[in-house]
Amino acid sequence: MAKKINVKNPIVEIDGDEMARVMWAWIKEYLITPYLNINLEYYDLGLLRREETKDAITLDAAKSIAKHGVGVKCATITPDKARVEEYKLSKQWPSPNATLRAHLDGTIFREPIICKNIKPAVNSWKKPIIIGRHAYGDEYKAAEFTVPGPGTVELVYKPADGSQPTVLTVHEFKGKGVTMGMHNTEKSVRSFAQASITYALQRKTDLWFSAKQTILKQYDSFFMNIFQEEVNKRKADFEKAGITYWYTLIDDTVAQIMKHPGGVLWATKNRDGDVMSDMIASGFGSLGLMTSVLVSPDGKMETEAAHGTVTRHYRQHQQGKKTSTNPTASIFAWTGALKRRGELDNTPDVVKFAEALEDANIKTIEGGTVTGDLARLIHDTPKPPEDSYVDTEQFIKAIAKRLESNL
Ligand code: NAP
Ligand code: MG
């Protein structure tokens, strides 16, 4: 085994729940600890620990990422009513991801991992399409109202200084109908634009933003103009990175993306991102190959797998059965965090290690050693032959073996 590599500054490690947590421990045991001298600021966000600390641990973890700049997170349970009973919780604790996102004022970008033997549903997609979703406001914080019968709906703005209100007629209803008012804020849109630009520059990938300003002349133009202003501020950085910014109408972008080779970061409004990120994810294949990164406007970063704790597999694991769960997205969460740490610390050997680990993981898959979810895609059947895939731990060990020869 090669000499251990020193990682200069700490990475915040956030542990999680269920099958994701089981894989997490193996990833560390086989792929991280043997190769790196690394100071991990460990936060256990397993649901029991969140209960014990009345969820204070989640905010502590968020503060630690803000301090150190880089975090890596395992999937965690967002408790619903059934979980409150299962874990005897004193409260239905909020989603840890929502807490982290709010504290870091972050935007989430999802990115698929490309392997030659996993064919995307769209033939032209050769490189990843990174999709960023503005996760504040619009339909998701709308005031809705079912109009019971004839009458007028108005939009009223009352200035805080007591000056003359502005009143707009939404619609004069002749019968039943429905209406809503939605909003966004300059602060939130600007943070979203900044995070998108920051991440596009970091990843040296072209940036797209799309909206529908031809219809929403004020609402979507507001977004479009803020993006353009923020891009203008970073013109020199765009040139230096050799990347471009492109604004288009959302329907045009959707048409373009189906013929595009990929290799772009596509920033979307809240509703567009909700819909399009699921389309892109399923178009690229398995959730086990989808990564996710939370980026703050000033470039602080937390990486994770896009999938959850894989409860169904965990139930089997609890019964002592082997599962074939794909750890790839979790491994890429680690490599993403390590690459960022290495860039910030100016330690190219750390970046190189992360790249060697990614390569080992991809080559393992391309060499035909795969987990069940990928066997299903390769064999194009929900029930691939049992000898066409390995169990979770065997898969991680196969990556470790390849990594050893990569270093
Ligand atoms: P999930 O954990 O993503 O799993 C849904 C299904 O997708 C699995 O049953 C499995 O399908 C497949 N899958 C997902 N990841 C896989 C992997 N790595 N390898 C192979 N197959 C994979 O979603 P869920 O079951 O809806 O949610 C479970 C828990 O996760 C919930 O408590 C939820 O709150 C939490 N969650 C957390 C996060 C997060 O922390 N970021 C995100 C989403 C959900 P098959 O069963 O068909 O094999
Ligand atoms: Mg969605």
Side-chain angles (χ1 to χ4, degrees), residues 43-112:
Y43 291 84
D44 182 0
L45 260 57
L47 190 46
L48 287 173
R49 185 78 189 128
R50 277 181 274 153
E51 168 69 17
E52 254 173 54
T53 62
K54 303 278 170 252
D55 205 32
I57 185 120
T58 309
L59 193 58
D60 289 346
K63 286 180 182 160
S64 190
I65 295 174
K67 180 174 166 200
H68 297 291
V70 186
V72 56
K73 180 180 171 290
C74 176
T76 46
I77 291 169
T78 297
D80 53 12
K81 289 222 169 64
R83 297 294 198 171
V84 171
E85 271 179 34
E86 183 189 345
Y87 283 83
K88 310 254 175 302
L89 302 180
S90 56
K91 212 179 138 186
Q92 193 175 332
W93 302 111
S95 150
N97 286 51
T99 305
L100 293 172
R101 190 167 64 213
H103 188 78
L104 292 166
D105 186 21
T107 297
I108 290 170
F109 300 93
R110 282 171 141 208
E111 175 172 357

Side-chain angles (χ1 to χ4, degrees), residues 62-341:
K63 286 180 182 160
S64 190
I65 295 174
K67 180 174 166 200
H68 297 291
V70 186
V72 56
K73 180 180 171 290
C74 176
T76 46
I77 291 169
T78 297
D80 53 12
K81 289 222 169 64
R83 297 294 198 171
V84 171
E85 271 179 34
E86 183 189 345
Y87 283 83
K88 310 254 175 302
L89 302 180
S90 56
K91 212 179 138 186
Q92 193 175 332
W93 302 111
S95 150
N97 286 51
T99 305
L100 293 172
R101 190 167 64 213
H103 188 78
L104 292 166
D105 186 21
T107 297
I108 290 170
F109 300 93
R110 282 171 141 208
E111 175 172 357
I113 298 153
I114 309 283
C115 303
K116 287 200 185 85
N117 51 343
I118 311 295
K119 295 263 175 276
V122 177
N123 288 330
S124 65
W125 293 353
K126 306 286 183 229
K127 286 188 271 178
I129 294 161
I130 307 174
I131 187 151
R133 171 183 173 192
H134 183 214
Y136 175 82
D138 303 351
E139 285 89 340
Y140 301 78
K141 285 242 188 274
E144 296 183 83
F145 180 64
T146 307
V147 178
T152 303
V153 174
E154 290 177 341
L155 202 59
V156 183
Y157 166 64
K158 296 183 198 157
D161 65 7
S163 58
Q164 193 63 21
T166 305
V167 182
L168 297 176
T169 301
V170 175
H171 191 65
E172 282 168 12
F173 285 86
K174 305 277 182 282
K176 280 188 191 170
V178 70
T179 187
M180 72 168 179
M182 64 185 203
H183 80 282
N184 226 299
T185 66
E186 180 182 346
K187 183 173 180 294
S188 176
V189 177
R190 212 169 277 287
S191 290
F192 170 51
Q194 286 166 352
S196 302
I197 292 164
T198 301
Y199 196 50
L201 288 168
Q202 268 179 31
R203 298 297 309 273
K204 296 201 175 23
T205 176
D206 287 342
L207 174 64
W208 294 5
F209 175 63
S210 44
K212 191 78 183 178
Q213 94 289 357
T214 47
I215 300 299
L216 293 174
K217 293 184 179 65
Q218 301 218 9
Y219 204 101
D220 279 16
S221 297
F222 188 82
F223 281 74
M224 183 181 79
N225 295 338
I226 288 175
F227 258 81
Q228 193 60 56
E229 283 165 28
E230 292 300 323
V231 167
N232 291 348
K233 287 184 199 160
R234 308 288 300 266
K235 270 241 160 78
D237 296 326
F238 271 79
E239 267 165 35
K240 204 170 135 211
I243 63 168
T244 58
Y245 170 70
W246 190 45
Y247 172 82
T248 34
L249 285 169
I250 178 76
D251 38 347
D252 190 17
T253 322
V254 168
Q256 296 279 342
I257 208 84
M258 302 308 276
K259 302 178 282 188
H260 201 271
V264 293
L265 192 164
W266 180 16
T268 59
K269 289 179 64 199
N270 208 347
R271 170 82 172 259
D272 298 336
D274 187 350
V275 177
M276 285 301 146
S277 61
D278 285 335
M279 188 199 74
I280 302 271
S282 87
F284 271 105
S286 168
L287 260 179
L289 293 180
M290 186 59 77
T291 61
S292 168
V293 52
L294 177 72
V295 180
S296 72
D298 60 352
K300 307 233 158 60
M301 181 179 209
E302 176 251 306
T303 56
E304 62 181 297
H307 62 73
T309 60
V310 210
T311 310
R312 202 186 62 80
H313 295 208
Y314 185 61
R315 297 293 178 231
Q316 304 210 317
H317 176 83
Q318 282 175 310
Q319 293 166 20
K321 291 182 192 149
K322 298 261 186 221
T323 73
S324 185
T325 319
N326 191 347
T328 301
S330 301
I331 293 170
F332 274 67
W334 277 97
T335 58
L338 286 167
K339 284 198 279 188
R340 181 68 184 145
R341 186 74 277 167

